Amino acid sequence: MDLQCRSLDVKIATGGVALDRDARPVLLIHGAGMDRTVWNQQTRYLAHHGFAPIAVDLPGHGGSDGACHETIGSMAEWVNDFIDEIGMGPVRLVGHSMGCLIALEVASSFSPNVERIVLMGAAAAMPVHPDLLGAAQRNEILAPQLMTAWAHGSRAHIAGNPTPGLWMRSSCQALLERAGDGVIFNDLYACNAYDAGDVAARIECPVTVIVGSEDKMTPPKATAQLVAGFSEVELKHLDGIGHMMMLEAPNDIRKILLEALQ
Amino acid sequence: MVEPDYLKFDTLSLHAGQEPDPTTGSRGVPIYQTTSYSFTDTDQAAGLFNLEQPGHIYSRISNPTVAVLEERIAALEGGVGAVCTASGMAAFHLACATIMSAGNHVVASRNIYGGSHNMLNLTMPRFGINTTFVDPRDLDAWSDAITPDTRVLFAETLGNPGIEVLDIPAVAEVAHQHGLPLMLDATFTTPYLMKPIDLGADIVMHSVTKFLGGHGIALGGVIVDGGRFDWAANDKFPTLSQPYDGYHGITFTEEYGHQALSMRARAEGLRDFGAAMSPTNAFHLLQGIETLPLRMQRHVENTAAVVDFLTDNEAVSWVSHPSVSSHPDHELAKQLLPKGAGAILSFGINGGREAGRRFIENVQLASHVANVGDAKTLVIHPASTTHQQLSADDLVAAGVGEDLIRLSVGLEDAGDIIFDLARALRASQKG
Ligand SMILES: Cc1ncc(COP(=O)(O)O)c(C=O)c1O
C-alpha cells in the first residue's frame, strides 16, 4: 500500500494485510540500492503475530516517489518524519546494512520516536571498495554483481533457499538491477561517507545486533567495533550466514525478531 | 578491477540447489517420494498455509527434490526463481495462466513447437485468450500485432523446425516499449548455449524433457522468472499487482516485488491446476543436468560434423541450421549463440514425401521418435507427425515442407551417425 510523507507517495509492504493500527508498529529499513521486498520472509509472519510491520521503500527506491537522500543524516530525518506520518507512536526500528546506519541516527537523534532497534549487517563505518563505488557511479552491471557476490555467505552461493524454487543470488542481483540509475551509487556513497562518531553511546533504547559469521560487507569485526559502543546490547550470532541474513536465514531471523521486538 | 567471485556454470550444474542432506549426509539428491510433510505445531502449519514462512506442505505445491531442480535451473538461467511442472506443456500453460485471464491476447512467433501452437491457436481461445502469430524475424509484425489486450510476446530461442534464431534483444525491446514481458521457450538452446534473461527475456520456459534431462527418460517442464520485469508498472497484470483473495488479499508485487511471478505461479498455479513434477522425475532430470555442459559441447560438435556431411550429400536439397552460411540468421547466431546454435537441424530430401518416408524407414542407429534433445540421435518427418494437425496453409506458414526431415543430433560417435544417415539417404533415392 501507499502512505504519504512530505507530500510524496511512500510504498510500504505490510505482510499482505491491512495496516493494523492497534498492533505494535515495526518499521523495517532496507539497505543500499534495495527495497521493502528484502523483508518478505519476516513481514507476513510479524503481521500474524501481534505486530504491524511496515517495510518501507526509502524515497527514490522501489515504489516510492522522490529523489534519494544523499546522506545518512538526511535519510534519518526523513524516517523520523515518516514515523510521525504513520501516526502510530514510537516504532520498533529494524535495519539492514545502510538501514542500520539510518536506525542508529534516528534512535540517537529522535529517541522519543523509537522504542527499540534491531540491527543486522551493521558496522560503525562502512567503507566501500573503490571499484564497487566506481562501477556504481557508472551505473554498470558490475555494481549489482559485486554487491551480490559479497553480500551472500558461501552456502547461499550454492543452495539453501528455504523458499522452494527461489534462487537467492539472482534474486539479489535482479533487485539491485531494478534500482534506478544513480540509486546504488547514492547509497554506497552515503554509507562510505558516514562517520558514526559516538552514536552508539547516545542510544538509550534496547538494542539487538545480529551478526553473520560470513558477512563480508560488514564483517563480524566491524560489527564488534560498533557493538563495543553500546552501554547495553543483545548480540545474536548466525553461523555460516552472510550479509543478506534475513533472506539467508529467514527462520532464525524471524525467531530473533519475535523475541527482540516484544 | 575486482571481479564478482560467482561459482561458474559447470560448478552450478553439479551443485546449485543442493547441499548434502542435513539428516543423512546423502551426497546424491535424495528422492523425497512423499505426498505430504509433518507440521511441527499448529503455528507452523498455519504459517506455511498462509505464506508467513517457507516450507513444504504437500507435493503438488512443492517438494524438496523438485525444489533442488528448480533452484538449479534458476541458477543456471540467472533467474530469481523457477517452478517445475509435469511437462513442458504444463509449464507453458502455467506461465500463461499466471499472467493472463479471459480477454487477453498473445503475440507469438508462428515458428513454434506444434504443441505450443495448438495450445495458443485452438485451446486457449476456449478460455478467452487469443493469439496472433507473426514471422519472428519481422520486428514490425511483432509491434503491429500488439493490441491493448496483449499481455505477452512469445517465441522460441530457436524456432521449430526452421531453426530461426530469435533476435532476443530486439524483440525484448519491442515488448518492453509496450509495457509487456517477453516469454521464451529456450528448450533448444538450454542455458549452456544462451542465457535469454541476460539478453532481455522476462520469462524462460523449458521442456526439461529434452536437453536439460538429456537421457529421454523423464518428462518435465519449468518456468524461470527473470525478475527484471515490473509487473506493477501498468495495470495490465492484476493477478500480480492487485490483491488476491486466495491469500486474504495479498498483493504479490507489493510483498514479493521482483519475485512476484515465481510466488504466484506456485501459490496459485500449482495449487489449483496441479500440474506438479514428480520427485522421481526431478531426480532423473537432475542427473542429466549434472553433465549438461559436457553434453552440449558434444551435441554441438557432432552437429557440425553432420551439417558438413549433409551439405555435401547429393540426396539432400537443402540444410537448415544457423551454422550454415546460407541460413538467414547465420550472423545473428554467431552473435547470440557463440558456443553453437544447438543440435537440431532440418534438411530437405530430394524426392519429397516418398523419399522422406524411405529415409526414415532406413535409418538404423537414429531413432524415429516424436522427441528431440535426447542423448541418442533422433529423426522425424514433421508433416506426418508433430505438425499433422496443421492445415496445409498453416504448414507452409510454419515452414514445414513435405520434404522436411528434422534431425536431433545425439552423442554417438559422429562417424557412426554419419554412416547411418548416408545409408538411409542412399536408400531414400532408390524409389
Ligand atoms: C520446443 C518445445 N517446447 C515445448 C515442448 C513441450 O514439452 P513437453 O513434451 O515436455 O510437454 C516441446 C516438446 O516436444 C518442445 O520441443
Side-chain angles (χ1 to χ4, degrees):
Chain A
M1 65 182 281
D2 288 334
L3 294 178
Q4 287 253 312
C5 182
R6 300 183 185 171
S7 310
L8 291 174
D9 280 348
V10 181
K11 176 66 76 189
I12 60 168
T14 52
V17 301
L19 184 60
D20 179 358
R21 293 195 165 270
D22 296 325
R24 293 162 288 179
V26 181
L27 182 59
L28 302 107
I29 310 176
H30 60 78
M34 302 202 165
D35 72 16
R36 68 192 183 282
T37 60
V38 297
W39 302 108
N40 68 34
Q41 292 300 311
Q42 282 78 38
T43 43
R44 198 163 167 80
Y45 182 78
L46 291 174
H48 288 89
H49 288 80
F51 295 96
I54 301 165
V56 66
D57 283 350
L58 292 170
H61 296 71
S64 284
D65 286 342
C68 294
H69 291 253
E70 287 176 12
T71 64
I72 299 297
S74 132
M75 294 178 200
E77 284 167 21
W78 181 88
V79 167
N80 183 54
D81 285 0
F82 184 56
I83 296 171
D84 289 338
E85 290 282 353
I86 298 169
M88 290 169 68
V91 300
R92 291 152 168 79
L93 259 188
V94 180
H96 174 241
S97 198
M98 179 181 82
C100 292
L101 304 182
I102 300 172
L104 286 167
E105 286 301 309
V106 179
S108 61
S109 306
F110 310 104
S111 57
N113 262 345
V114 182
E115 193 102 18
R116 53 172 64 235
I117 59 175
V118 180
L119 309 176
M120 43 195 106
M126 291 192 189
V128 178
H129 193 293
D131 286 358
L132 170 54
L133 213 49
Q137 187 164 22
R138 295 185 297 273
N139 294 305
E140 287 172 0
I141 196 148
L142 179 64
Q145 287 173 344
L146 288 175
M147 289 170 78
T148 303
W150 294 335
H152 292 88
S154 45
R155 181 169 170 251
H157 271 269
I158 292 183
N161 198 325
T163 307
L166 294 189
W167 169 241
M168 228 176 291
R169 203 188 78 192
S170 297
S171 293
C172 180
Q173 193 171 315
L175 176 63
L176 290 165
E177 279 180 33
R178 285 166 68 128
D181 277 357
V183 171
I184 296 177
F185 177 68
N186 176 85
D187 293 356
L188 293 179
Y189 190 88
C191 290
N192 196 49
Y194 178 73
D195 177 4
D198 65 345
V199 72
R202 288 186 282 116
I203 289 178
E204 285 160 8
C205 68
V207 181
T208 304
V209 177
I210 312 173
V211 189
S213 70
E214 291 196 19
D215 187 339
K216 291 192 205 117
M217 310 274 277
T218 50
K221 266 190 191 161
T223 309
Q225 283 166 6
L226 171 72
V227 165
F230 294 116
S231 54
E232 218 186 300
V233 56
E234 191 180 8
L235 260 187
K236 300 279 185 187
H237 289 275
L238 295 176
D239 230 25
I241 300 299
H243 192 62
M244 296 303 294
M245 50 194 86
M246 61 286 199
L247 291 164
E248 290 181 59
N251 294 323
D252 294 321
I253 296 289
R254 250 193 319 273
K255 267 187 222 133
I256 294 171
L257 281 183
L258 197 62
E259 226 179 81
L261 295 173
Q262 291 303 331
Chain B
M1 187 65 88
V2 287
E3 296 272 325
D5 46 358
Y6 284 166
L7 297 170
K8 306 298 183 294
F9 190 92
D10 296 20
T11 310
L12 293 173
S13 301
L14 285 155
H15 290 277
Q18 196 225 357
E19 34 192 2
D21 187 56
T23 43
T24 61
S26 167
R27 182 60 276 201
V29 180
I31 305 176
Y32 284 95
Q33 191 67 51
T34 182
T35 55
S36 39
Y37 307 84
S38 299
F39 306 122
T40 51
D41 52 52
T42 49
D43 185 59
Q44 187 231 11
L48 289 172
F49 275 102
N50 196 25
L51 295 179
E52 287 168 39
Q53 57 190 83
H56 305 289
I57 300 172
Y58 188 65
S59 286
R60 176 169 12 95
I61 301 169
S62 67
N63 168 282
T65 311
V66 179
V68 174
L69 178 62
E70 289 168 335
E71 208 172 333
R72 185 161 307 172
I73 296 176
L76 295 176
E77 286 287 8
V80 302
V83 181
C84 279
T85 53
S87 67
M89 286 312 300
F92 187 36
H93 176 263
L94 175 64
C96 290
T98 301
I99 60 173
M100 288 188 284
S101 302
N104 288 163
H105 172 255
V106 179
V107 182
S109 159
R110 67 185 185 197
N111 303 113
I112 55 175
Y113 167 58
S116 306
H117 191 279
N118 281 339
M119 188 182 108
L120 291 176
N121 191 42
L122 303 174
T123 311
M124 293 307 263
R126 292 203 292 112
F127 301 92
I129 295 172
N130 292 301
T131 297
T132 303
F133 293 95
V134 298
D135 173 355
R137 293 190 180 109
D138 184 347
L139 286 179
D140 290 337
W142 283 104
S143 54
D144 290 350
I146 292 170
T147 75
D149 295 326
T150 306
R151 292 296 177 268
V152 67
L153 273 51
F154 174 73
E156 293 177 0
T157 53
L158 290 177
N160 199 340
I163 325 297
E164 299 81 4
V165 180
L166 189 78
D167 189 346
I168 300 174
V171 179
E173 197 181 324
V174 172
H176 296 160
Q177 276 167 356
H178 289 83
L180 299 172
L182 174 63
M183 171 156 75
L184 294 183
D185 179 335
T187 301
F188 282 15
T189 41
T190 80
Y192 176 77
L193 294 177
M194 162 192 268
K195 306 230 298 193
I197 293 168
D198 288 351
L199 295 169
D202 302 293
I203 308 171
V204 173
M205 58 145 289
H206 289 274
S207 169
V208 189
T209 317
K210 308 293 177 337
F211 293 100
L212 284 169
H215 31 43
I217 60 169
L219 283 179
V222 69
I223 60 173
V224 184
D225 176 359
R228 274 72 169 179
F229 187 76
D230 186 355
W231 303 101
N234 53 45
D235 57 6
K236 290 180 192 288
F237 303 98
T239 54
L240 298 172
S241 66
Q242 296 298 317
Y244 175 46
D245 287 340
Y247 286 91
H248 312 294
I250 198 169
T251 300
F252 283 86
T253 48
E254 293 216 333
E255 302 305 318
Y256 301 107
H258 56 300
Q259 298 164 333
L261 175 70
S262 308
M263 295 301 290
R264 172 91 184 204
R266 184 180 306 280
E268 177 194 52
L270 282 187
R271 188 196 61 185
D272 297 359
F273 300 121
M277 179 184 280
S278 88
T280 302
N281 274 12
F283 172 81
H284 288 309
L285 296 166
L286 277 162
Q287 308 316 306
I289 288 181
E290 292 199 349
T291 56
L292 178 69
L294 296 171
R295 287 188 291 106
M296 290 312 289
Q297 276 167 31
R298 177 68 174 265
H299 274 299
V300 165
E301 283 164 22
N302 280 0
T303 302
V306 168
V307 164
D308 280 351
F309 160 75
L310 289 173
T311 310
D312 292 340
N313 193 284
E314 285 179 354
V316 173
S317 51
W318 52 268
V319 180
S320 177
H321 186 265
S323 63
V324 178
S325 58
S326 61
H327 190 280
D329 303 319
H330 182 63
E331 288 306 317
L332 186 62
K334 279 199 221 161
Q335 191 193 324
L336 299 184
L337 292 154
K339 289 193 219 162
I344 295 167
L345 58 95
S346 50
F347 63 90
I349 194 159
N350 288 331
R353 176 178 277 269
E354 254 316 289
R357 191 186 55 75
R358 282 194 299 269
F359 170 80
I360 295 278
E361 282 174 0
N362 279 284
V363 287
Q364 291 180 12
L365 185 64
S367 316
H368 180 210
V369 299
N371 192 22
V372 291
D374 194 308
K376 303 175 183 77
T377 295
L378 315 174
V379 286
I380 202 156
H381 185 216
S384 57
T385 53
T386 51
H387 286 61
Q388 59 137 322
Q389 288 95 336
L390 303 196
S391 69
D393 285 350
D394 283 349
L395 269 185
V396 173
V400 185
E402 292 201 326
D403 63 338
L404 185 148
I405 304 282
R406 188 183 67 191
L407 195 57
S408 174
V409 180
L411 304 177
E412 299 93 342
D413 177 89
D416 290 346
I417 300 173
I418 288 169
F419 182 84
D420 188 43
L421 297 177
R423 182 174 48 202
L425 282 169
R426 273 196 306 276
S428 78
Q429 301 302 301
K430 292 184 186 148

